[in-house]
Amino acid sequence: MPIMEMKRDRASWIKGPSAQCVPPPVAAQPPRRLVLLGAPGVGKGTQAELLASHYGACHLSTGDIFRAAKALDAGERTPALSAALDYMRKGELVPDETVLALVAERIGCLRCDGGFLLDGFPRTVAQAEALEQLLKKENITIDAVLSYDLPLERVVARLSGRRTCANCKAVFHIETRPSKVEGVCDQCGGKLYQREDDRPEAIRVRMEAYDKSTSPLAEFYRKRNLLVSVPAEGSPREIFDRSTVLLKARGR
Ligand code: AP5
């Protein structure tokens, strides 16, 4: 199993197709192609990092594209991206057409022989249908859709204590996964910050959007025999082990 020695910067995904990933992706045998589902804050990003380093696949988060766009000067952003940041700040979903245009531009990341872990996309049935069409055209199949489940109050506790690295996007928690030095990323020494949409009023809006638009995706993928439900209780490592055991049981 290929193990990533150095965290990939995912530049082609985060900045767009003209940017080159460093280090470049390594072809995996076979490449893993997984989708991660679950409520905001359930731990998808944390699991995606662990799975990415285990399988050598790239962690592709649509939220990371928007957060990277925030760092650009207003003049460097397209009007659609600036509007997307307003939706995100409030905790609302970004319109499907904006998200789909960004993903279609980054089709090279889905074709990549290193494989992928999609986190935060798709998030609506329309996005899932569009992804299905996109992958069909490319002759690419998804191995499985991991759906992480946890009671709401536990999810909110995970969100409120989250800290994220402004540089490499690594995720910490002030109680359950603290960095060695407060406010400093263990992986790259970058500065840790609290996400704007982790404020209580934005968390409420995000949970409503999840219930209404994203939770129906479990049924969408169950019907396609791709859904793997993973209880998200326990430590990140325990949940990771559970995920890989469940994937192995499916022959993946
Ligand atoms: P996005 O970035 O996708 O955020 P999200 O889905 O809300 O998910 P989060 O990143 O908040 O949580 P997570 O499940 O990854 O949890 P994490 O691992 O960090 O989207 C943000 C916004 O962008 C959306 O609201 C929307 O506006 C927009 N957007 C993005 N994609 C879109 C799309 N496709 N369509 C429309 N709009 C889109 O963990 C959380 C915390 O818990 C961390 O502190 C972590 O350390 C801790 N933790 C993790 N696991 C454990 C554990 N086992 N035990 C204890 N603590 C744990």
Side-chain angles (χ1 to χ4, degrees):
M1 202 66 69
I3 302 289
M4 262 197 324
E5 296 296 330
M6 176 182 161
K7 194 171 153 54
R8 212 171 281 154
D9 67 1
R10 303 168 291 155
S12 302
W13 178 258
I14 290 176
K15 296 183 184 159
S18 55
Q20 302 287 317
C21 294
V22 177
V26 177
Q29 289 300 335
R32 302 302 165 130
R33 294 180 172 126
L34 301 169
V35 171
L36 278 66
L37 283 186
V42 73
K44 302 179 296 297
T46 303
Q47 291 305 313
E49 275 186 38
L50 294 169
L51 291 163
S53 106
H54 182 69
Y55 291 129
C58 216
H59 173 196
L60 306 181
S61 152
T62 36
D64 282 347
I65 300 177
F66 297 129
R67 281 183 286 279
K70 228 164 66 174
L72 299 173
D73 289 335
E76 289 179 283
R77 285 185 220 134
T78 60
L81 258 185
S82 297
L85 298 185
D86 285 336
Y87 286 105
M88 193 175 168
R89 209 165 288 128
K90 288 184 266 179
E92 292 170 14
L93 292 187
V94 174
D96 287 339
E97 58 179 21
T98 306
V99 177
L100 290 172
L102 288 169
V103 172
E105 256 175 23
R106 289 160 171 76
I107 185 71
C109 296
L110 300 181
R111 287 189 194 125
C112 179
D113 289 338
F116 59 75
L117 296 148
L118 278 174
D119 165 16
F121 175 83
R123 224 181 181 98
T124 63
V125 171
Q127 291 181 17
E129 285 168 346
L131 175 66
E132 197 168 57
Q133 291 307 314
L134 204 60
L135 295 180
K136 201 169 159 192
K137 256 196 240 155
E138 299 288 332
N139 232 350
I140 295 169
T141 51
I142 290 174
D143 298 327
V145 174
L146 295 164
S147 175
Y148 291 98
D149 305 318
L150 192 72
L152 186 65
E153 66 280 6
R154 307 278 303 281
V155 173
V156 172
R158 286 185 184 178
L159 275 180
S160 350
R162 168 165 54 193
R163 296 294 180 270
T164 306
C165 174
N167 180 41
C168 77
K169 324 287 178 247
V171 171
F172 298 85
H173 190 280
I174 50 173
E175 282 162 12
T176 60
R177 202 186 182 196
S179 56
K180 289 187 190 115
V181 178
E182 198 185 324
V184 179
C185 176
D186 291 351
Q187 296 188 17
C188 74
K191 196 171 169 212
L192 302 184
Y193 75 104
Q194 182 166 32
R195 271 171 47 175
E196 238 178 350
D197 59 351
D198 283 347
R199 289 169 293 117
E201 57 285 17
I203 291 179
R204 189 181 46 75
V205 177
R206 286 163 70 196
M207 293 303 175
E208 283 168 9
Y210 173 76
D211 270 348
K212 181 166 164 254
S213 306
T214 312
S215 60
L217 288 186
E219 195 47 36
F220 180 94
Y221 285 117
R222 186 174 292 122
K223 281 189 187 146
R224 284 152 177 80
N225 197 27
L226 285 170
L227 193 77
V228 176
S229 294
V230 188
E233 305 275 355
S235 70
R237 179 52 62 172
E238 285 165 341
I239 301 163
F240 164 76
D241 289 343
R242 208 172 284 148
S243 306
T244 52
V245 166
L246 287 166
L247 286 172
K248 260 198 198 134
R250 287 175 59 95
R252 298 295 179 180

